[in-house]
Amino acid sequence: CRVHKNTPAKLWNAIADTLAIGTGLPALYNDDIVCIALEKIGIPPEDSHDYCMNGCNQIDILGKSHMGLEDGEVIFTKCLEFALHNGTDDMTGEKISVETGDPRAFTTYERFERAFMEQLEFVTYNACSSANTYQHQRGVFQPHPLRSCLIEGCLEKGRDYRNGGPLYNHGQILAEGIADAGDSLYAVKKLIYDEKKYTMTQLIDALNANFEGYEQLHHDFKNCEKFGNDIEEVDQITARALNRFFTVLKRNNTYRGGVFSGGCSTFNRAANYGRQTAALPNGKFKGEPLLADSIAATPGRDTQGPTSQIKSVLKFNHFDAGSGFVFQNKFQKKMFNTEKGKASFIALAKAYFAGGGQQYTVTVVSPDELLDAKI
């Protein structure tokens, strides 16, 4: 459901009533942000205001574009893993990324963060390159002439919709594990470089041992301040990483004839990403499935309520997300299914969108329903 600053109260009330059922729908999109994000990548206002959803939550221009559908994903936690192990995938022991130096030799946090950013850039460039290889393969060898006849630009150019025919041919690479990476970076900064409570050697030894025999270290890193609680330094570190990702994406052109932009659409895939990630400085164990399932905090790490969560998420630049930038909140039914509760949600959602939020997904469940589903 597309909303904006002039959305009438009747529609807001219908949205709240529907969400209260527990279906997770409608997902809400903020025209005041989405349209500007599309205009930043060259789509004029007369078309940006005709955007629609493609797939789960990716954004397209109705009848005029092919802007990808999850062209690729960059897992921020894997980039951090590579930075901690000098380009080696700790799950397999293979060196699959660029060498950014042995972090045991880094004397400042800034040097460690730079290593992470270098890994993030390397992986992002590779994601774009792989996406373009796939776009080329589909464009040349998997044409779709019937669909191409229905998309503006294809007949005029004589090109298939997968091969640069539409008016707009941008790409979308998704960011995953954002909060987990931010939490880990902050924990390293605080406990190793600021307070000097531990050394990088101790941390890496603990990670290699999956924290076995390092219980106190694990406790301190796991319980360090986390993204999603309106803590300025944690939020700024996390936002800095995401901003670098967005910047690198827009340096890359798509095979189809546009540029790449970013988003986030994790949901249930987050658990699989967690299983493929090694132990991390945020206290995550090797192969543990828990990972952030949207641009919000890692589930369970936000302890100060939804307002603080929103304030953290608004530290991101939502105008640079040309794909769906999913922000997921969860509420108990007993809190939501009252007139006061629904009114509070509407006020919260309006405040989030007024502050610059792009997308809002709400899950409303009860503990009994979750237990029943598990059984």
Side-chain angles (χ1 to χ4, degrees), residues 18-68:
T18 307
L19 287 170
I21 298 170
T23 64
L25 295 171
L28 305 179
Y29 289 78
N30 181 10
D31 284 2
D32 298 317
I33 302 299
V34 174
C35 294
I36 295 174
L38 295 173
E39 289 158 22
K40 285 187 69 174
I41 55 175
I43 298 171
E46 59 268 25
D47 286 339
S48 72
H49 286 262
D50 279 338
Y51 77 89
C52 61
M53 279 38 262
N54 174 8
C56 299
N57 70 279
Q58 286 69 41
I59 295 172
D60 258 304
I61 308 302
L62 186 63
K64 297 183 178 183
S65 73
H66 179 22
M67 300 209 297

Side-chain angles (χ1 to χ4, degrees), residues 122-305:
F122 180 80
V123 172
T124 302
Y125 277 122
N126 274 275
C128 294
S129 176
S130 297
N132 277 333
T133 298
Y134 184 61
Q135 287 179 24
H136 173 264
Q137 187 270 333
R138 295 195 79 188
V140 174
F141 300 108
Q142 294 178 294
H144 202 312
L146 177 59
R147 187 170 179 177
S148 298
C149 290
L150 305 175
I151 298 177
E152 187 174 342
C154 295
L155 291 177
E156 292 84 348
K157 297 177 185 177
R159 298 180 69 88
D160 190 80
Y161 96 98
R162 287 174 170 167
N163 201 23
L167 296 183
Y168 310 113
N169 297 280
H170 302 305
Q172 302 174 4
I173 304 289
L174 307 180
E176 317 295 6
I178 303 166
D180 309 85
D183 292 345
S184 295
L185 289 166
Y186 177 76
V188 167
K189 182 180 187 299
K190 178 180 178 180
L191 296 174
I192 293 178
Y193 292 101
D194 292 348
E195 297 183 357
K196 303 188 187 305
K197 188 171 184 178
Y198 299 100
T199 66
M200 183 64 79
T201 297
Q202 288 174 308
L203 172 61
I204 292 177
D205 288 346
L207 296 175
N208 290 338
N210 202 23
F211 297 112
E212 187 173 345
Y214 295 87
E215 285 73 21
Q216 185 59 51
L217 180 147
H218 178 258
H219 174 274
D220 290 344
F221 276 84
K222 182 178 180 179
N223 290 285
C224 206
E225 292 85 346
K226 296 290 189 283
F227 177 83
N229 296 292
D230 191 25
I231 301 170
E232 185 66 21
E233 190 169 17
V234 186
D235 296 349
Q236 289 299 333
I237 287 174
T238 310
R240 200 154 58 234
L242 188 64
N243 289 340
R244 180 68 65 89
F245 169 72
F246 284 148
T247 298
V248 174
L249 281 179
K250 290 184 179 181
R251 295 172 184 165
N252 289 267
N253 295 322
T254 65
Y255 165 80
R256 290 187 295 259
V259 297
F260 283 102
S261 65
C264 177
S265 175
T266 313
F267 297 116
N268 62 346
R269 297 197 304 277
N272 191 46
Y273 302 146
R275 293 186 185 99
Q276 297 177 50
T277 304
L280 295 173
N282 67 339
K284 177 192 176 302
F285 289 107
K286 185 175 184 177
E288 181 182 8
L290 183 65
L291 209 71
D293 56 3
S294 73
I295 65 172
T298 306
R301 302 293 185 257
D302 53 317
T303 60
Q304 303 303 308

